[in-house]
Amino acid sequence: QNKATFAIDSQLCVITSNMVREIVRAKVALFGDDKIGKTKLLWMFMHRNEDVAWNSTYKMTIEVELQIVTVNIPDTNYAVELQILDFGGNQIFQMDNTQRKYFQLTDHVIAAYNIAKRNTFESLKSVWLKQFKSAQNSSNSHCSGVVLGLQSDLAAYSTVNAKEAIALAQQHNMAAMQCSSKSNQDIDHPFHYIAQQVYLKYINQK
């Protein structure tokens, strides 16, 4: 099948003999404290169409790692390419100009915490989101995204009230969600939500 591609700013059009598929790109920052399952969540979502099972192996993210996932927008000829910057959990304590530049280049954010570890929520509220908003002040102050509670399978041991997470999300004009990589519950929701926001923003600006 004959195929050609061309790029226009953040948009990529893939042309075949019987369809036109437009891909819109966006950068997403994924951050939160270490050892809460951010990278595991991303890995599970990237392999969502494969027969993979959750495992307890822990892989520490060093500094910032880039992963790319594509989300199709239902009932359209659009797809959104999410260029996800996965921040190591210890990066907030050694934030330098390079890390701030990564924040400034980000269009959307997944701000994660472990629902069973209160300190990870407090860190998100008092450190991560403040650093992110500080870096964004000189660029995209209207960045949107998700405050995401990880390990929702531990709901019986939750130390963060859902109303607190919703209040924090609303304070930063974000959505509040929960998911579990271990039980494979709702892991697609934050990525699909952001992809939909990217798509709607692009359509509204056309």
Side-chain angles (χ1 to χ4, degrees):
Q1 196 175 42
N2 293 329
K3 180 178 179 180
T5 63
F6 63 94
I8 306 177
D9 296 327
S10 62
Q11 178 187 13
L12 177 71
C13 295
V14 180
I15 303 177
T16 66
S17 60
N18 59 4
M19 67 169 285
V20 176
R21 185 177 182 226
E22 295 187 69
I23 299 179
V24 183
R25 295 190 177 100
K27 293 182 177 64
V28 181
L30 171 60
F31 59 66
D33 283 358
D34 59 349
K35 301 180 182 179
I36 63 172
K38 302 183 302 295
T39 301
K40 182 70 69 177
L41 166 70
L42 181 53
W43 185 87
M44 290 290 289
F45 181 72
M46 290 175 63
H47 296 275
R48 63 195 180 281
N49 296 323
E50 305 171 23
D51 186 19
V52 297
W54 180 90
N55 63 71
S56 59
T57 304
Y58 175 69
K59 175 184 177 293
M60 178 177 286
T61 301
I62 306 299
E63 296 187 352
V64 182
E65 295 183 1
L66 172 66
Q67 302 288 353
I68 297 176
V69 297
T70 301
V71 177
N72 293 322
I73 304 300
D75 303 317
T76 74
N77 65 335
Y78 284 88
V80 175
E81 180 185 278
L82 301 178
Q83 301 173 356
I84 301 176
L85 296 169
D86 180 9
F87 283 78
N90 62 345
Q91 281 305 109
I92 199 65
F93 303 110
Q94 35 188 307
M95 186 67 66
D96 57 22
N97 290 334
T98 300
Q99 309 305 327
R100 290 189 181 90
K101 181 62 69 175
Y102 283 133
F103 275 173
Q104 290 172 356
L105 294 175
T106 300
D107 304 307
H108 300 269
V109 60
I110 299 175
Y113 66 97
N114 182 333
I115 69 168
K117 294 183 177 180
R118 177 79 194 184
N119 63 303
T120 66
F121 180 75
E122 294 296 337
S123 178
L124 194 66
K125 181 169 58 174
S126 63
V127 183
W128 282 100
L129 283 169
K130 284 188 176 181
Q131 288 278 15
F132 180 75
K133 288 297 183 179
S134 175
Q136 288 280 304
N137 281 343
S138 59
S139 54
N140 180 12
S141 60
H142 301 288
C143 185
S144 65
V146 177
V147 171
L148 183 64
L150 298 177
Q151 302 192 28
S152 61
D153 55 289
L154 298 177
Y157 305 98
S158 178
T159 58
V160 180
N161 188 290
K163 291 182 179 179
E164 292 180 278
I166 292 171
L168 179 63
Q170 291 176 341
Q171 178 184 344
H172 294 281
N173 298 314
M174 298 163 70
M177 300 180 185
Q178 291 187 4
C179 69
S180 170
S181 300
K182 185 174 183 178
S183 62
N184 200 24
Q185 180 181 11
D186 300 333
I187 63 171
D188 58 327
H189 286 190
F191 303 101
H192 285 181
Y193 172 81
I194 289 177
Q196 185 70 19
Q197 296 301 304
V198 172
Y199 164 71
L200 290 175
K201 180 179 179 181
Y202 174 75
I203 291 298
N204 290 335
Q205 291 180 343
K206 285 190 70 173

